[in-house]
Amino acid sequence: MQKPQYAILRFAKYKGPEIGQIEAHNERKKEKYASNPDVDVSRSHLNYHLVQPERKYRAEAEKQIAEAGCRTRKDSVRVVEALVTASPEFFKGKKRAEIRTFFEEAVRFITKHQDKSTIISAVVHMDEKTPHMHLSFVPLTPDKRLSAKDIVGNKKKLTWWQDSFWKHMVRKYPDLERGESASETGRTHIPPRLFKEAAHLNRQRDMLMKLLGEVNPLNAKKKSAEIEALLEQYIPGVERMQTQMRKYDAAYKALQAENTGLKKQVNSSKESIKRQLEVSQQLQELEELRRTVDHIPPEILQAYQSEHHTKQFER
């Protein structure tokens, strides 16, 4: 039985320093992607732009906002990113030219509803497992207001985007089904990058445990330098992840409650069983993330505290 092929459109909003981070990822400005093992740099030459950025994302956003005469606050959304892709099954067997046509069609859809001049960049990544496009734009309305809320900021609007995207794409690709948005289902979408960051932290933790176990009087100085360098990446990385994970506490509790309710159902329908499997998987993923950030091995914590105590003493 052929798996469903979904058309996928998601939005994310960015306000400040994180704009530079998404630019570095989208434009492949990093030399290494240790925190994102899905990136195969040997294939990065296959990536391409459908809209080429003229300047840095933040600089272009500020330029457009100033030209529109918009006032901004520190927490104003300056860039909205649309992630466009489809189920992996959709891309199987398709040539690169056919894949490009799919993303060109998606750009045509977006520019029907968002002024093309506001688009900073539209780049297709072919160097990860599933082809996808990051399309970043300044959320300026037709009457030149800066308002991500008007464009993508509520449940009704997001549902409209989902419906309209599917209706547009299905005319050319009749096998595509409409994807579900998190706003409609009430589910919180956990970005794949969090799982990649967690995997990276786990690798750093394992390396630290290995190094700590290898220290002896003959190599103490050399090993201590390696441990210190890795600690300076690992501990702040865990702290950042802890901050991000707090946003999903409510989602975790809601999923637990839903899971309990589903298990209590005496006569489960096909849809109910499917949802129960989905909920179980989401809970498992969240629990794996929580374990990564909630449990720093005591040996590592002790080494980090000892290192910071030594530095303070040296001052």
Side-chain angles (χ1 to χ4, degrees), residues 190-207:
I190 302 167
R193 65 177 172 76
L194 282 188
F195 295 104
K196 293 169 186 174
E197 287 172 18
H200 181 54
L201 289 171
N202 283 335
R203 285 194 295 273
Q204 288 183 328
R205 180 200 61 210
D206 293 344
M207 179 61 73

Side-chain angles (χ1 to χ4, degrees), residues 54-150:
E54 294 185 13
R55 50 185 63 81
K56 288 183 178 292
Y57 287 17
R58 181 67 183 266
E60 178 61 31
E62 298 294 358
K63 175 178 176 290
Q64 290 194 30
I65 291 165
E67 288 175 351
C70 299
R71 296 176 65 182
T72 60
R73 301 186 308 272
K74 188 177 180 181
D75 63 347
S76 294
V77 174
R78 289 162 169 82
V79 173
V80 171
E81 182 186 69
L83 172 69
V84 177
T85 186
S87 306
E89 292 75 25
F90 172 79
F91 295 108
K92 283 182 180 176
K94 283 186 170 56
K95 296 177 181 177
R96 288 205 291 265
E98 292 174 306
I99 294 172
R100 184 184 183 107
T101 299
F102 170 81
F103 290 115
E104 288 173 340
E105 195 62 41
V107 171
R108 272 193 285 276
F109 163 74
I110 291 173
T111 54
K112 277 172 62 178
H113 306 289
Q114 181 65 29
D115 190 335
K116 188 176 180 178
S117 67
T118 65
I119 298 176
I120 298 170
S121 172
V123 58
V124 176
H125 286 170
M126 299 290 288
D127 58 359
E128 295 185 56
K129 288 181 180 177
T130 304
H132 58 274
M133 177 174 68
H134 296 277
L135 187 148
S136 303
F137 64 89
V138 185
L140 289 168
T141 62
D143 57 352
K144 297 300 179 184
R145 288 178 299 111
L146 184 68
S147 181
K149 185 177 180 181
D150 280 9

Side-chain angles (χ1 to χ4, degrees), residues 61-311:
E62 298 294 358
K63 175 178 176 290
Q64 290 194 30
I65 291 165
E67 288 175 351
C70 299
R71 296 176 65 182
T72 60
R73 301 186 308 272
K74 188 177 180 181
D75 63 347
S76 294
V77 174
R78 289 162 169 82
V79 173
V80 171
E81 182 186 69
L83 172 69
V84 177
T85 186
S87 306
E89 292 75 25
F90 172 79
F91 295 108
K92 283 182 180 176
K94 283 186 170 56
K95 296 177 181 177
R96 288 205 291 265
E98 292 174 306
I99 294 172
R100 184 184 183 107
T101 299
F102 170 81
F103 290 115
E104 288 173 340
E105 195 62 41
V107 171
R108 272 193 285 276
F109 163 74
I110 291 173
T111 54
K112 277 172 62 178
H113 306 289
Q114 181 65 29
D115 190 335
K116 188 176 180 178
S117 67
T118 65
I119 298 176
I120 298 170
S121 172
V123 58
V124 176
H125 286 170
M126 299 290 288
D127 58 359
E128 295 185 56
K129 288 181 180 177
T130 304
H132 58 274
M133 177 174 68
H134 296 277
L135 187 148
S136 303
F137 64 89
V138 185
L140 289 168
T141 62
D143 57 352
K144 297 300 179 184
R145 288 178 299 111
L146 184 68
S147 181
K149 185 177 180 181
D150 280 9
I151 296 169
V152 297
N154 58 56
K155 180 179 177 180
K156 185 177 179 181
K157 191 69 177 182
L158 286 170
T159 300
W160 176 87
W161 275 106
Q162 290 283 339
D163 285 337
S164 301
F165 180 59
W166 175 74
K167 286 175 184 175
H168 179 94
M169 300 302 285
V170 80
R171 287 198 294 266
K172 193 175 183 72
Y173 303 100
D175 290 338
L176 282 175
E177 297 183 27
R178 183 193 182 286
E180 288 184 307
S181 72
S183 66
E184 287 183 273
T185 59
R187 303 165 206 166
T188 300
H189 171 65
I190 302 167
R193 65 177 172 76
L194 282 188
F195 295 104
K196 293 169 186 174
E197 287 172 18
H200 181 54
L201 289 171
N202 283 335
R203 285 194 295 273
Q204 288 183 328
R205 180 200 61 210
D206 293 344
M207 179 61 73
L208 278 165
M209 293 300 290
K210 183 173 182 287
L211 287 169
L212 286 167
E214 291 174 347
V215 175
N216 61 56
L218 297 175
N219 66 13
K221 189 173 181 180
K222 181 184 176 184
K223 291 291 181 184
S224 293
E226 291 180 49
I227 290 167
E228 180 183 344
L230 201 48
L231 280 171
E232 289 300 328
Q233 296 176 41
Y234 175 71
I235 298 294
V238 169
E239 289 171 349
R240 283 194 301 272
M241 180 72 88
Q242 286 172 335
T243 300
Q244 293 180 79
M245 282 302 298
R246 287 189 196 105
K247 294 190 295 184
Y248 300 100
D249 283 347
Y252 182 75
K253 289 173 184 174
L255 283 169
Q256 281 184 314
E258 185 181 354
N259 196 41
T260 301
L262 287 166
K263 284 180 177 178
K264 286 180 179 176
Q265 291 180 7
V266 179
N267 298 314
S268 297
S269 65
K270 185 178 178 181
E271 289 74 19
S272 175
I273 293 168
K274 180 185 175 186
R275 179 61 185 148
Q276 192 171 335
L277 289 170
E278 288 174 356
V279 169
S280 296
Q281 184 179 354
Q282 287 174 312
L283 278 171
Q284 185 181 346
E285 289 173 345
L286 274 170
E287 283 163 2
E288 284 174 7
L289 281 177
R290 286 162 72 102
R291 278 196 295 272
T292 296
V293 298
D294 288 346
H295 178 63
I296 299 176
E299 302 95 321
I300 292 177
L301 204 53
Q302 185 179 352
Y304 187 69
Q305 290 167 345
S306 173
E307 177 217 327
H308 273 252
H309 177 74
T310 304
K311 283 185 176 179

